[in-house]
Amino acid sequence: MRITGYRTLTTVQEWGRPVGDANGVFADGVTAVPIILVDTDEGITGVGLGPHTDLERIFAAIDGEDPRAVTTLYDRMLRQTFKAGHAGSVFGTIGALDTALWDIKAQAAGQPLWRLLGGRDRRVPAYASGLDIGLDDDALAAAYTVYARHGLRAAKLKGGLDIERDRHRLHVVRDVLTEAGRGQRPGLMLDVNEAWTRKQAVRHVGELERTLDLVWIEEPVRRWDAEGLAVVGRGIRASVATGENLTGLEQYRPLIAAAAVDVVQMAAVWGITHFLRVSALAHAYDLPVSPIGNHPVGLLHAATSVPNHMVSELQDLHPPVGITRDLHVEDGAFVLGDTPGLGVTVCEEEIGRYPRRSDVPTPDGPNVRPERAGRRLLAVADPAVTPAGRYVTPPPGAPTHHHHDGLPSAVPH
């Protein structure tokens, strides 16, 4: 079997409500989902969700190769970007291609990927993650009521701009999940997307912990600040979770060496081979791992095969436009199906019928760090209206087939 080419397209996720974090909100809830399809001479096509940055150059490393040699092809792609480096969205392109190759390998073997990778249990524990900072109390309670109906009893909220507002919103969700769980205390996490300094983080979380028991605080300071993450970890009771924006094993080493991370995270868009390697590294230090992202299908399959998987993020319960997945959610877990490969099907016709949307990226939003991040003196009480939060709405409509050279997705993780 040989790799013969690739195709790209972009669909959208329709959230039906505002989504965002401390850095910004997309008020219309429509976000881009770039896709890469890898073709072979035996008619098997693999699907990868991720950016198209520098795709032609990276694809040259695997063109004409046998796609079943996935892990060595992954290293070929890394070597292909040796001089310029593989960080950022380039790493997402490698991850998307890597995921597509694993999809091909499992399809060729006639097995679902979770089985091929050595998984025994098709169920993957999940937590609810609503990207919810733009929701008022009623919408917040309604969103997590839907998650609760699917059996989810743990939730991660977005916050970091106001202590009292974060406390109130965490209590709202705690009450929803406690009622759904018939009195069982839920797991609560808070994600601030690198919005604080070290002292701000300790003060903010310490105040929340007066009345709340947090499982983890996510990305309290900058992703590369190993010393700062360790300082925060020592100053609070909750675990420190981070890693979704780290690209490559070399970026995890200093954090683990500094005892700066308690829950090791990996973004779905970075690919399956990356997840497996980081999981092995974390396991060597007895650290749990947790995949991040709205479309973590590949990492869900891989999570069944690693001994230190804790829980996976569940954002939108519905797939993007034109995509179907052989999985469902019940009793608080993703349940993977038996379709060979990832179990992901792309309907190019349906995606092509979606109304066009401007290809010009928005200058603001969740993927753009606000100028005052880490330097705010006052709380931002209502991020939906304040200029300090830089909350914007992208152009109406949706993108169709094109190369996407921005971040892996318009959705914050």
Side-chain angles (χ1 to χ4, degrees):
M1 185 188 303
R2 298 294 170 185
I3 297 168
T4 58
Y6 67 86
R7 291 168 287 139
T8 63
L9 62 156
T10 300
T11 186
V12 296
Q13 184 79 36
E14 294 179 312
W15 294 80
R17 58 175 175 81
V19 291
D21 59 30
N23 301 302
V25 166
F26 292 127
D28 70 353
V30 178
T31 55
V33 181
I35 304 167
I36 300 175
L37 304 175
V38 176
D39 296 319
T40 68
D41 60 359
E42 294 191 11
I44 300 176
T45 296
V47 179
L49 302 182
H52 308 157
T53 306
D54 211 8
L55 177 53
E56 185 174 353
R57 182 165 68 96
I58 296 171
F59 181 79
I62 64 173
D63 191 13
E65 295 288 330
D66 188 325
R68 293 168 294 186
V70 185
T71 53
T72 51
L73 292 182
Y74 179 79
D75 288 318
R76 282 177 64 90
M77 289 189 284
L78 292 181
R79 292 198 303 273
Q80 193 80 354
T81 61
F82 166 64
K83 284 293 185 181
H86 59 245
S89 57
V90 171
F91 199 63
T93 301
I94 294 172
L97 290 169
D98 174 72
T99 300
L101 297 186
W102 279 109
D103 188 17
I104 293 169
K105 183 180 179 78
Q107 288 185 60
Q111 297 181 340
L113 182 57
W114 63 269
R115 182 72 75 187
L116 182 74
L117 289 172
R120 176 176 176 271
D121 188 350
R122 69 180 69 224
R123 299 177 60 84
V124 181
Y127 68 87
S129 178
L131 310 181
D132 47 48
I133 202 168
L135 303 182
D136 62 23
D137 288 358
D138 290 341
L140 183 70
Y144 282 91
T145 297
V146 174
Y147 290 125
R149 289 180 188 144
H150 288 79
L152 281 90
R153 298 294 180 262
K156 183 177 77 183
L157 276 68
K158 296 291 188 179
L161 299 177
D162 178 76
I163 293 174
E164 293 307 321
R165 184 168 184 263
D166 286 349
R167 190 202 314 275
H168 174 72
R169 298 175 80 249
L170 285 161
H171 276 279
V172 168
V173 173
R174 186 186 67 177
D175 291 346
V176 168
L177 297 183
T178 299
E179 181 178 357
R182 299 180 180 179
Q184 179 187 26
R185 187 171 68 177
L188 295 174
M189 297 84 90
L190 183 68
D191 184 1
V192 302
N193 295 97
E194 306 180 53
W196 295 330
T197 64
R198 303 173 186 185
K199 287 289 188 178
Q200 286 176 331
V202 172
R203 179 169 59 87
H204 198 122
V205 177
E207 181 60 31
L208 293 177
E209 289 182 327
R210 291 177 183 270
T211 58
L212 290 161
D213 182 23
L214 297 177
V215 177
W216 75 58
I217 182 72
E218 188 168 321
E219 289 192 324
V221 296
R222 300 312 301 271
R223 67 194 70 170
W224 51 74
D225 186 4
E227 182 182 7
L229 289 164
V231 167
V232 174
R234 291 192 294 267
I236 64 177
R237 297 198 311 267
S239 294
V240 170
T242 190
E244 67 176 273
N245 289 306
L246 303 180
T247 52
L249 286 177
E250 69 279 2
Q251 295 190 4
Y252 286 85
R253 280 205 309 265
L255 272 64
I256 291 176
V261 54
D262 303 302
V263 179
V264 179
Q265 298 174 314
M266 304 81 103
V269 75
W270 302 148
I272 293 168
T273 300
H274 171 70
F275 171 82
L276 293 172
R277 291 180 176 182
V278 174
S279 294
L281 175 64
H283 185 49
Y285 290 86
D286 292 319
L287 294 173
V289 298
S290 180
I292 294 292
N294 189 39
H295 316 293
V297 182
L299 302 198
L300 298 179
H301 284 268
T304 66
S305 69
V306 300
N308 51 333
H309 173 261
M310 173 186 280
V311 67
S312 290
E313 183 174 37
L314 170 59
Q315 295 182 4
D316 201 332
L317 286 157
H318 305 286
V321 171
I323 291 180
T324 57
R325 306 172 298 196
D326 185 13
L327 63 81
H328 63 280
V329 179
E330 68 176 18
D331 296 332
F334 295 97
V335 183
L336 299 168
D338 288 318
T339 301
L342 290 174
V344 174
T345 302
V346 177
C347 181
E348 298 183 50
E349 293 78 11
E350 183 179 353
I351 294 172
R353 289 194 300 268
Y354 201 91
R356 273 193 68 83
R357 167 180 176 176
S358 172
D359 290 345
V360 179
T362 174
D364 299 301
N367 290 342
V368 179
R369 183 171 171 83
E371 183 179 358
R372 300 298 300 175
R375 294 186 285 124
R376 297 184 180 97
L377 293 178
L378 302 177
V380 181
D382 190 352
V385 297
T386 178
R390 305 191 332 177
Y391 287 72
V392 298
T393 303
T400 183
H401 305 253
H402 68 282
H403 285 269
H404 178 75
D405 291 327
L407 290 173
S409 170
V411 184
H413 300 306

